[in-house]
Amino acid sequence: MKKSLQFVRFKKFNVLIQLLIFTFILLFIGEILELVFGMFFGNNNFSKLDFSDSSIEYVLFETVILSPLIETFFIQFLLLEFLRVLFNGLSINYFLAVLISGFIFGVLHHYNIPYMIALTILGWIFGYIYVFYKKNKKIHPILAVLITHSLYNLIIVLKDYILVN
């Protein structure tokens, strides 16, 4: 299968640039999903978690460090690798593994249906990032997902909970 010229160029970028691009893709898609779901379900139905009783230090620790560590390890690493081995004989083993792990990632964020759908899509992107670096070997795939997930969450926390309030 012939790879696109843009993809070949992307693979040659510095890993930091790649991770920033992945983060901005996540942010762009997340904002589009929030806009679309806001139109259909109302702005209050997309998840804005209530951190009003928590200190900013706790919110940042939980969303930028703890959650990405736990989710990356269990979903993008253990689950993806388990599913990849399970589907080993299939030529689309990574595709199925990413599809299922992204769905489980979304279900674990069960604040409401629109949020679960949005997080399933973002989970697919995190899964793709894991697979991309598993094959690319520029950086450990767990570290790549952890960095993009943490950076994404940091920007969302800054946008939704600090800049707005």
Side-chain angles (χ1 to χ4, degrees):
M1 174 183 276
K2 188 175 179 178
K3 294 181 182 177
S4 73
L5 185 58
Q6 288 81 12
F7 183 73
V8 172
R9 285 183 185 156
F10 179 78
K11 285 178 70 174
K12 291 181 182 179
F13 286 162
N14 175 293
V15 70
L16 180 59
I17 301 297
Q18 290 175 342
L19 294 174
L20 288 173
I21 290 170
F22 278 130
T23 302
F24 285 112
I25 289 169
L26 285 160
L27 288 165
F28 179 74
I29 290 173
E31 291 300 312
I32 296 294
L33 291 169
E34 186 173 356
L35 181 68
V36 169
F37 288 133
M39 289 174 17
F40 288 103
F41 299 102
N43 287 332
N44 294 335
N45 283 327
F46 202 77
S47 182
K48 295 278 192 256
L49 303 178
D50 183 14
F51 289 114
S52 58
D53 293 336
S54 303
S55 70
I56 188 61
E57 293 85 6
Y58 175 78
V59 171
L60 288 172
F61 174 74
E62 183 181 333
T63 60
V64 177
I65 297 170
L66 188 61
S67 293
L69 270 171
I70 293 168
E71 292 169 353
T72 298
F73 181 75
F74 284 104
I75 299 187
Q76 281 84 36
F77 173 61
L78 288 180
L79 182 60
L80 247 170
E81 288 297 329
F82 170 77
L83 292 170
R84 185 183 63 81
V85 170
L86 185 67
F87 300 130
N88 192 23
L90 303 174
S91 60
I92 56 172
N93 61 353
Y94 271 122
F95 177 78
L96 286 173
V98 167
L99 204 63
I100 293 168
S101 71
F103 176 73
I104 291 172
F105 185 81
V107 168
L108 290 175
H109 294 83
H110 59 283
Y111 307 113
N112 57 51
I113 298 298
Y115 195 69
M116 284 173 48
I117 295 168
L119 270 287
T120 295
I121 294 167
L122 295 181
W124 291 335
I125 297 169
F126 287 132
Y128 174 80
I129 293 168
Y130 180 87
V131 172
F132 178 81
Y133 287 105
K134 176 104 175 155
K135 293 180 178 183
N136 189 339
K137 297 181 180 14
K138 274 190 170 183
I139 185 175
H140 197 284
I142 294 173
L143 187 57
V145 175
L146 184 60
I147 290 169
T148 54
H149 193 162
S150 294
L151 190 55
Y152 172 81
N153 283 4
L154 174 65
I155 294 168
I156 294 302
V157 166
L158 291 174
K159 177 183 97 50
D160 289 348
Y161 303 106
I162 296 175
L163 298 178
V164 173
N165 293 330

